[in-house]
Amino acid sequence: METVYDVMQLLKRFGTFVYTKNRIGDLQLMEMDLVELYKGGLIEAREFQSARHILRTEIVKLEKEITSK
């Protein structure tokens, strides 16, 4: 897993589609869904950690872009 798209595909396997027109909000919702899948034992720790890292990295990147404007 390398991109946000890959995380979206992972969530899609469980019937989760996130789109609110707010990119940071979408990423945060995806992260919350990942946590629930992990707590429920539906995804492995490695998959969870990788996906969460990708989402958090993207959130930080977007927040930096917003503050630099």
Side-chain angles (χ1 to χ4, degrees):
M1 193 172 320
E2 297 177 13
T3 66
V4 173
Y5 179 77
D6 295 333
V7 176
M8 292 171 70
Q9 294 306 305
L10 168 67
L11 292 172
K12 187 177 172 183
R13 288 191 345 223
F14 297 97
T16 301
F17 298 88
V18 177
Y19 182 69
T20 63
K21 295 186 180 182
N22 175 344
R23 183 70 170 161
I24 293 175
D26 288 349
L27 297 169
Q28 291 169 337
L29 287 171
M30 286 187 240
E31 185 177 0
M32 289 190 300
D33 287 338
L34 278 173
V35 170
E36 292 304 315
L37 290 172
Y38 178 66
K39 285 181 180 177
L42 299 171
I43 59 175
E44 298 177 9
R46 189 175 194 184
E47 203 169 25
F48 170 70
Q49 291 170 344
S50 176
R52 196 171 195 188
H53 175 73
I54 290 167
L55 293 176
R56 287 190 174 193
T57 301
E58 186 69 14
I59 289 169
V60 168
K61 178 182 148 196
L62 291 172
E63 287 174 343
K64 283 183 181 178
E65 287 177 8
I66 290 170
T67 58
S68 68
K69 289 184 179 180

